[in-house]
Amino acid sequence: MNHKGFRIFRYYSTVLFGALLFGNLQGFAQQPVNVDSLEQVYLQGNFASTDSLEVINSILIVLQDPQKMMYYSETLIQVAKRQDSTRRLFQGYLQKGNSLARLGNPLDALENYFEATNYADETGNDGALGSVYVTIADTYSLNENNVNAREYYQRAIALLRQTDDSLSLSTGLANAGDFYYRMGQMDSALMYFEEAGPIFEALEYRIGTGYYLGSLGMVYGEQGKPDEALEKLNECLEILEDEGDYYGVSAFLPFVSDIYEEKGDYRTAIKHSERSLDIAITYGLKEQIRDANLQLSELYELLGDPGKSLKYFKDYTTYKDSLSNIGLVQQMARLRTNFEVDQKQSEVNLLEKEAEISELRERRQDAALYVALGIVIFAFALAYGLFRRYKYIRRTRDVIEREKARSDDLLKNILPEETADELKEYGRVRAKKFESVSVMFADFVGFTQYSEKMSPEDLVKTVDYYFSCFDQAAENRGVEKIKTMGDCYMCAAGLPFPNKDHAVHMVRLACDILDIVSGDGYSEVTGFEIRLGIHSGPVVAGVVGTKKFAYDIWGDTVNIAARMESGSQAGRINISENTYLLIKDHFECEFRGMEQVKNKGMMKMYFVKGPLKGSQEVLLGKTTEIKGSRS
């Protein structure tokens, strides 16, 4: 089997088993429930208010439509919050994540999965925690974050092997098998599938058995056994259709199509691909819509029908572009980091609680000993207890001080130090106007073309490398980084502390950035080009947000600086007349003439050619004479 089916399959595993976790699945496997009748019960209100959580959860267990799953999971969360049900809050966030995953929104799905882990921790249910780890691993696997995926699969399976939750264990094994299948490690994939399959069959869980048979069919296809593959895949499709799991049907049909394509039976292959596309469109499954269109485009090309091939390829491109999101990889990496930080903090809190419990137990034991041994031993034990308490208090105080220092450091990494101090003291930050600052925008040229040629991991690694270098250069020049927007870098000089040389500092930083990107001894990464734009004038600066703080600036100066950047050229620094008047005694500039600026009319622009001979280099308060000029 070729790898066209391979890229389709990788999108179903997150919701394949994750949507079926933590309900009375074995009971439902043995006694099918009609979802329509359950919905009628809920909509008509024919139940006690105390049973509302159970009714909603029962509907979610058997639902297949992701839009309805979203509605009922959000309803479950609202009702569970009112009734203070930690267990149902866990299920609500898990199911909401599953519906988002099916609708092609992995980042929001991942946020809900991490929220579910917090409630799983509160319940103390290792099976629940292990199962949501499986779902998190699936999400990373689908987005080709293989390092995180492998780590969470290992965590999940190790945890689930210590529980009696056979269904969750088989789910984790099956999804890990899919992960290794996608990695091309067929022996490992088959090992996990063959361990999971008998568990599903023993539990009489037909949907799980169906996916197990389909998985075997995929592996047989990769091993060059088309007849065995078709036999297993057809058994799989028959079970999933009987169970009404059309998401799974849509996922496995492309594999059947691949086998017929290899046999040269293009008409039968097209029939199966078209059915997969119809189901995907019905249920809004974006990834499968995209992949089915690509498969049909290739099949019609083989059949000699270029018109239909082009039509399906255009549809594929539409969905491919809608699902492509470079920032998604960065956000998911940051989301995992934030979750790990929260987990570490929870571990610290747990250790402190355990220390308090241990201390209380020891003191009670000491009290019994004091009575038995008399006044002298009592006095000694009391002194010993006080000494231990003193050490505990001192140790606790040290932990608190370290955590406070870490929090202060994190806050100062997000906000300017003066702003961070004001926020800690007053709980808010007043907006301030600065009469004269310099604002710079730096944007990579042709970034979209580069992103199409690089893997997401390499792209994120490259952008992170450049932005880290820019951050260090900005700190050296006394320039304040404001934010990044995709591949655009924004910074300002002359705030939060006014500085009369702000324009000079900013142009120096712009020169540094050109050197960094050109690779003059700074990086092994080459090939990118950047354009820069600077404008000087008044701005208003302040902090926005109440939970996730962000320092930002506003005003016409910011808009004009952005226009300077868009009007620049690759490898050039474009500045406005305001900035030119502030730096002309330090830099050689080339007048570009009057240029049209959006919403501003005609404005004078200049290219910075380099520092004037004999000008002064300013770096962290030190002054160095420039011996030559930059051209």
Side-chain angles (χ1 to χ4, degrees):
M1 182 181 297
N2 60 35
H3 291 280
K4 291 182 289 182
F6 178 93
R7 64 172 174 265
I8 296 171
F9 176 74
R10 64 190 179 86
Y11 287 100
Y12 85 88
S13 65
T14 296
V15 290
L16 159 62
F17 300 109
L20 302 170
L21 299 175
F22 309 113
N24 185 13
L25 296 180
Q26 296 180 37
F28 278 101
Q30 297 163 359
Q31 300 175 0
V33 178
N34 187 305
V35 66
D36 293 331
S37 62
L38 285 173
E39 284 192 277
Q40 286 300 317
V41 170
Y42 174 73
L43 294 173
Q44 293 173 7
N46 297 329
F47 56 88
S49 59
T50 54
D51 295 332
S52 57
L53 284 175
E54 301 306 320
V55 174
I56 299 169
N57 188 62
S58 298
I59 294 172
L60 276 169
I61 290 173
V62 294
L63 268 178
Q64 295 295 328
D65 187 329
Q67 296 288 355
K68 285 189 175 182
M69 286 173 63
M70 174 69 76
Y71 169 75
Y72 282 106
S73 61
E74 289 180 339
T75 303
L76 182 62
I77 291 170
Q78 294 171 6
V79 177
K81 285 181 177 179
R82 289 198 298 267
Q83 298 187 18
D84 195 23
S85 173
T86 300
R87 178 167 173 261
R88 294 309 185 194
L89 277 169
F90 163 76
Q91 293 169 323
Y93 281 109
L94 177 68
Q95 295 286 21
K96 185 177 179 181
N98 293 331
S99 62
L100 287 164
R102 288 194 176 195
L103 291 169
N105 193 340
L107 179 61
D108 288 346
L110 199 60
E111 288 182 330
N112 281 274
Y113 292 146
F114 282 139
E115 187 69 26
T117 63
N118 295 329
Y119 291 106
D121 276 334
E122 289 185 28
T123 64
N125 187 334
D126 287 343
L129 185 60
S131 297
V132 77
Y133 279 168
V134 172
T135 313
I136 291 171
D138 294 340
T139 308
Y140 280 125
S141 176
L142 301 182
N143 289 277
E144 301 182 2
N145 191 329
N146 298 327
V147 174
N148 286 353
R150 182 180 288 106
E151 178 181 341
Y152 274 96
Y153 280 129
Q154 290 172 350
R155 286 191 196 181
I157 292 173
L159 198 59
L160 291 170
R161 288 192 190 279
Q162 301 174 22
T163 71
D164 297 329
D165 192 345
S166 300
L167 182 59
S168 295
L169 174 60
S170 59
T171 296
L173 292 168
N175 287 20
D178 169 48
F179 170 73
Y180 284 105
Y181 173 89
R182 186 175 63 79
M183 298 292 290
Q185 300 177 23
M186 296 301 146
D187 291 340
S188 296
L190 194 59
M191 178 184 70
Y192 281 106
F193 288 145
E194 289 181 341
E195 184 178 357
I199 302 177
F200 287 131
E201 291 174 347
L203 294 172
E204 298 183 10
Y205 181 35
R206 283 178 54 77
I207 290 182
T209 302
Y211 279 103
Y212 157 65
L213 292 170
S215 300
L216 288 182
M218 296 184 321
V219 174
Y220 289 154
E222 287 292 330
Q223 292 176 339
K225 303 174 182 178
D227 294 334
E228 292 92 331
L230 273 178
E231 178 184 355
K232 297 299 180 184
L233 286 167
N234 286 329
E235 290 180 30
C236 157
L237 292 171
E238 182 178 353
I239 291 174
L240 296 183
E241 288 191 57
D242 287 344
E243 296 297 316
D245 185 359
Y246 291 104
Y247 185 89
V249 174
S250 179
F252 280 109
L253 280 169
F255 289 94
V256 179
S257 177
D258 283 343
I259 294 174
Y260 282 111
E261 178 187 337
E262 290 182 1
K263 289 175 174 287
D265 188 351
Y266 300 141
R267 294 291 183 186
T268 305
I270 288 172
K271 180 181 70 174
H272 287 86
S273 295
E274 287 178 338
R275 184 160 182 242
S276 175
L277 179 60
D278 290 341
I279 295 172
I281 292 173
T282 300
Y283 291 100
L285 310 176
K286 294 182 180 179
E287 294 90 345
Q288 293 181 12
I289 294 173
R290 175 195 62 192
D291 292 340
N293 276 305
L294 178 60
Q295 191 173 41
L296 285 165
S297 174
E298 294 170 350
L299 286 168
Y300 275 110
E301 183 179 5
L302 291 171
L303 198 61
D305 190 337
K308 285 191 175 180
S309 176
L310 179 60
K311 170 191 174 299
Y312 284 111
F313 187 78
K314 287 180 178 180
D315 291 342
Y316 158 74
T317 303
T318 300
Y319 277 90
K320 173 178 175 292
D321 292 342
S322 70
L323 290 168
S324 297
N325 188 349
I326 297 167
L328 177 62
V329 178
Q330 294 172 295
Q331 294 179 59
M332 292 183 70
R334 285 196 295 271
L335 187 62
R336 190 257 171 110
T337 301
N338 292 339
F339 171 68
E340 297 293 352
V341 169
D342 291 341
Q343 289 291 90
K344 292 299 182 184
Q345 183 61 48
S346 297
E347 291 172 10
V348 171
N349 294 338
L350 180 60
L351 288 173
E352 291 178 355
K353 294 290 186 184
E354 290 176 350
E356 292 175 3
I357 294 170
S358 176
E359 180 72 14
L360 181 60
R361 185 181 297 113
E362 290 178 8
R363 290 170 63 187
R364 286 177 177 175
Q365 292 172 350
D366 290 344
L369 183 63
Y370 301 153
V371 174
L373 297 180
I375 301 300
V376 177
I377 299 176
F378 173 77
F380 174 77
L382 180 61
Y384 177 70
L386 290 173
F387 175 70
R388 284 179 59 85
R389 181 170 177 77
Y390 165 74
K391 289 182 64 178
Y392 170 74
I393 292 173
R394 186 174 65 180
R395 185 168 60 251
T396 303
R397 185 172 60 247
D398 291 342
V399 170
I400 292 172
E401 289 296 328
R402 286 197 300 272
E403 290 302 311
K404 182 177 181 297
R406 189 180 71 163
S407 297
D408 289 346
D409 290 341
L410 288 172
L411 190 59
K412 289 176 181 178
N413 280 335
I414 298 172
L415 305 175
E417 184 171 356
E418 179 190 35
T419 304
D421 291 339
E422 183 179 348
L423 182 63
K424 286 191 296 180
E425 183 173 356
Y426 301 106
R428 60 187 180 83
V429 178
R430 293 176 299 174
K432 296 181 181 179
K433 182 174 183 180
F434 295 86
E435 295 298 335
S436 183
V437 302
S438 292
V439 179
M440 179 174 74
F441 283 84
D443 195 24
F444 286 105
V445 179
F447 188 76
T448 301
Q449 286 76 17
Y450 280 106
S451 67
E452 293 174 351
K453 300 176 183 177
M454 301 174 68
S455 69
E457 289 83 357
D458 289 341
L459 185 63
V460 171
K461 180 179 178 182
T462 301
V463 174
D464 178 66
Y465 166 79
Y466 280 124
F467 283 176
S468 297
C469 292
F470 296 173
D471 288 347
Q472 185 59 56
E475 183 177 351
N476 293 342
R477 294 294 181 184
V479 174
E480 191 69 37
K481 172 187 173 181
I482 303 301
K483 60 185 173 182
T484 60
M485 298 156 288
D487 61 319
C488 180
Y489 188 90
M490 176 185 175
C491 56
L495 55 79
F497 302 105
N499 185 335
K500 65 176 182 174
D501 295 322
H502 57 82
V504 176
H505 286 288
M506 184 60 82
V507 176
R508 293 287 184 212
L509 173 60
C511 294
D512 293 343
I513 288 176
L514 287 179
D515 289 339
I516 291 169
V517 175
S518 65
D520 294 339
Y522 287 95
S523 167
E524 297 177 359
V525 183
T526 58
F528 280 97
E529 290 186 307
I530 197 165
R531 62 174 180 256
L532 305 100
I534 304 172
H535 177 65
S536 302
V539 299
V540 173
V543 174
V544 294
T546 57
K547 292 184 178 180
K548 295 183 179 180
F549 301 109
Y551 186 74
D552 209 345
I553 58 176
W554 303 270
D556 206 37
T557 297
V558 178
N559 297 330
I560 295 176
R563 301 292 182 260
M564 293 298 110
E565 179 273 318
S566 61
S568 187
Q569 298 175 6
R572 304 299 297 268
I573 305 167
N574 188 40
I575 64 174
S576 66
E577 183 181 18
N578 287 14
T579 305
Y580 168 73
L581 294 175
L582 295 173
I583 68 158
K584 63 181 181 179
D585 294 332
H586 299 271
F587 292 89
E588 180 183 355
C589 299
E590 173 188 340
F591 180 53
R592 300 181 61 190
M594 300 290 288
E595 299 287 341
Q596 180 70 34
V597 175
K598 184 179 179 181
N599 298 329
K600 296 296 175 185
M602 303 298 291
M603 294 185 68
K604 293 181 180 180
M605 293 187 189
Y606 301 79
F607 277 142
V608 176
K609 298 183 68 177
L612 291 171
K613 185 175 181 180
S615 65
Q616 300 295 310
E617 166 77 15
V618 180
L619 179 63
L620 288 179
K622 299 178 181 179
T623 302
T624 304
E625 184 176 355
I626 300 299
K627 301 300 184 181
S629 65
R630 182 188 183 95
S631 60

